[in-house]
Amino acid sequence: MWRILAAARNFKGKENQVHEQVSANQANPAPGQAGTRAVAISMYCVLLASYAVNAADRQLFPLLAHDVRQQYGFSLADTGLLTTIFTLGLAMAGLPTGYLLARFPRKTVLLLGIGIFSTGTALIVFSTGFTDMLVYLLSTGIGEAMQLTVMIAIAANYFVGYRAAAIGSMNVFFGIGAFSGPILGSLLLTAYRTWRAPMIIFGLAGYVMIVAIALTVRPWFTETRRAADARTDLSGAPTLLNRNTILLTALSVLGGLVLYGFTGMYPTFLREGLHYSPKQAGVVASFYGAGALLSIAGGWLGDRFSPRVVLSGAFFAIAGLGYLCFHGSGSIVRQAILTCAYGAIGSGTIYVNLAGYHVKAVRSSLASRASGMFVTSLYATAAGAGYLMGGIASHAGWAVAGEIQISLLGVIAGGLALALRPDQMAL
């Protein structure tokens, strides 16, 4: 008899768990569960806020690179490497994080990632030279890869049918962080007269977000498998070795050089090429984040139109914008407008849709690995983007660096995008 009662209790417990999961995922929750969707959106907003802190952190060091260079006597190429070396950490950790997500809760991986990049940011102020600073900056990328991969996996699985738009919402908060980061960083730099103060404050902000996520975000939201349950797993390729994923990987490699050559060295160009003050450079650089606020629109384009049209058009446009940005006249208004457009197309369209199309190119069961492939392929070359940009600029000037690394590579990527096969994607 006791076995029967135990089995009944066990069945009842499982029934309640199933009911809770279904209620959390239904578009029209049952009476008594009406607040579930609103709670889910609120939790997602907390995660997005943590990503905004991440973005602000990411944009901080390029703004301070000129001051760091002056104190330590680094070359322009070495300074460029420091501004983008975090992307090597992203490349190293992207695919391993995809496998971690198959074995550990997403929330656990997310919190660990935020802790790693926040600690790395704070430790930079204790650097004694180039090597240890390089290691600390590299570690921030490892932590960011873990957070980014988890965020993409959650967005792709929870928001069925609107994956690119959901990833676009992530980039909106990236835009908020990228817009506010340089401004806050320049204000802190001016107030404290040392580049170390902004690094410490931004590092502590990450720990605040760890506490917020731990207290407010529930596993039933972060661990949902809604995408796999909502439709049969038949659309998209059954393996990562397919035409579209290979092309998207090549586009991500080129995108890493184009996007991070710009974000890594553009503030230094403004300081040293156009002789802007820290405050002026911070304001202009922040407009990259303002452009990224259009990421939901960029994601909507990716959900509604052919990948060939969206990616080829965006890469061709970024090639033209790159040319104009590095042939600047010194006008702050002109540079701000161009920087905003670059952010809207580069971050808001190219980045968002590369991430979304990587997931759409394969079946739902491969979503986590596909997002890991995106992170690894994009950031593998991004790690050296600043070094390459700085090296070209030091030998041939900023204008030539922009023409080669942004305009030429943008045109090549635009041509490759025309070879994509939308009919083989889960669109």
Side-chain angles (χ1 to χ4, degrees):
M1 178 64 70
W2 66 268
R3 290 182 178 178
I4 296 175
L5 292 175
R9 285 196 298 269
N10 185 50
F11 175 80
K12 184 63 176 178
K14 290 182 179 180
E15 183 182 37
N16 290 338
Q17 291 176 1
V18 171
H19 175 73
E20 181 182 356
Q21 182 66 41
V22 171
S23 297
N25 291 334
Q26 285 178 335
N28 297 305
Q33 298 290 331
T36 300
R37 177 159 293 276
V39 171
I41 293 174
S42 298
M43 288 188 289
Y44 189 55
C45 286
V46 174
L47 298 183
L48 291 174
S50 74
Y51 194 58
V53 172
N54 182 319
D57 190 311
R58 181 194 297 179
Q59 301 300 313
L60 183 62
F61 189 82
L63 176 69
L64 305 176
H66 173 74
D67 303 275
V68 173
R69 182 186 176 203
Q70 284 190 325
Q71 178 175 339
Y72 289 89
F74 298 149
S75 68
L76 188 59
D78 285 343
T79 303
L81 179 61
L82 289 172
T83 63
T84 55
I85 191 60
F86 75 94
T87 60
L88 178 59
L90 281 154
M92 291 167 52
L95 284 176
T97 301
Y99 286 99
L100 281 177
L101 289 175
R103 292 163 175 79
F104 298 97
R106 292 173 185 160
K107 182 177 177 180
T108 300
V109 178
L110 177 72
L111 293 176
L112 180 60
I114 297 174
I116 291 174
F117 85 69
S118 298
T119 301
T121 297
L123 287 176
I124 292 171
V125 304
F126 299 105
S127 301
T128 59
F130 181 80
T131 302
D132 55 345
M133 187 177 292
L134 195 74
V135 171
Y136 295 142
L137 287 164
L138 176 67
S139 69
T140 65
I142 293 174
E144 183 176 345
M146 298 172 71
Q147 182 188 20
L148 176 61
T149 306
V150 173
M151 292 284 291
I152 292 175
I154 292 173
N157 280 274
Y158 195 85
F159 300 100
V160 183
Y162 298 94
R163 288 172 172 172
I167 296 171
S169 70
M170 289 171 50
N171 236 35
V172 168
F173 277 76
F174 167 85
I176 294 172
F179 180 79
S180 61
I183 294 177
L184 292 174
S186 64
L187 292 175
L188 291 170
L189 177 63
T190 302
Y192 290 95
R193 299 185 182 277
T194 173
W195 60 268
R196 288 181 169 84
M199 302 301 294
I200 294 174
I201 293 172
F202 276 58
L204 292 175
Y207 287 102
V208 172
M209 294 311 306
I210 289 176
V211 174
I213 292 172
L215 294 177
T216 62
V217 178
R218 298 290 179 262
W220 64 259
F221 171 67
T222 59
E223 314 310 316
T224 182
R225 304 293 175 183
R226 187 179 180 188
D229 296 336
R231 61 180 176 86
T232 56
D233 193 20
L234 299 177
S235 299
T239 174
L240 292 177
L241 293 176
N242 65 84
R243 176 192 178 96
N244 285 326
T245 297
I246 292 172
L247 283 171
L248 288 167
T249 300
L251 291 174
S252 298
V253 166
L254 292 172
L257 290 171
V258 170
L259 298 181
Y260 288 91
F262 182 88
T263 58
M265 293 305 291
Y266 188 60
T268 303
F269 162 69
L270 295 176
R271 295 285 299 276
E272 300 187 10
L274 298 183
H275 307 291
Y276 283 10
S277 68
K279 184 177 180 180
Q280 290 173 327
V283 170
V284 172
S286 70
F287 274 86
Y288 181 90
L293 293 175
L294 298 175
S295 294
I296 290 182
W300 179 85
L301 290 175
D303 283 328
R304 294 293 177 268
F305 298 99
S306 168
R308 291 176 182 171
V309 175
V310 174
L311 287 179
S312 63
F315 272 113
F316 288 142
I318 214 71
L321 285 170
Y323 179 87
L324 294 174
C325 283
F326 286 94
H327 286 74
S329 63
S331 168
I332 293 179
V333 174
R334 177 183 183 275
Q335 293 302 119
I337 293 173
L338 290 173
T339 304
C340 184
Y342 198 103
I345 297 175
S347 182
T349 305
I350 292 177
Y351 180 91
V352 166
N353 288 296
L354 279 176
Y357 292 143
H358 265 281
V359 174
K360 291 181 178 183
V362 297
R363 295 182 179 179
S364 296
S365 56
L366 295 174
S368 293
R369 293 185 183 182
S371 63
M373 176 64 75
F374 160 70
V375 170
T376 296
S377 59
L378 181 80
Y379 294 115
T381 51
Y387 184 83
L388 178 61
M389 193 81 173
I392 297 174
S394 63
H395 288 88
W398 288 106
V400 175
E403 291 169 1
I404 294 175
Q405 188 160 335
I406 296 178
S407 298
L408 177 60
L409 294 185
V411 169
I412 293 173
L416 283 177
L418 295 173
L420 290 169
R421 293 290 300 271
D423 58 303
Q424 295 177 4
M425 291 186 179
L427 298 176

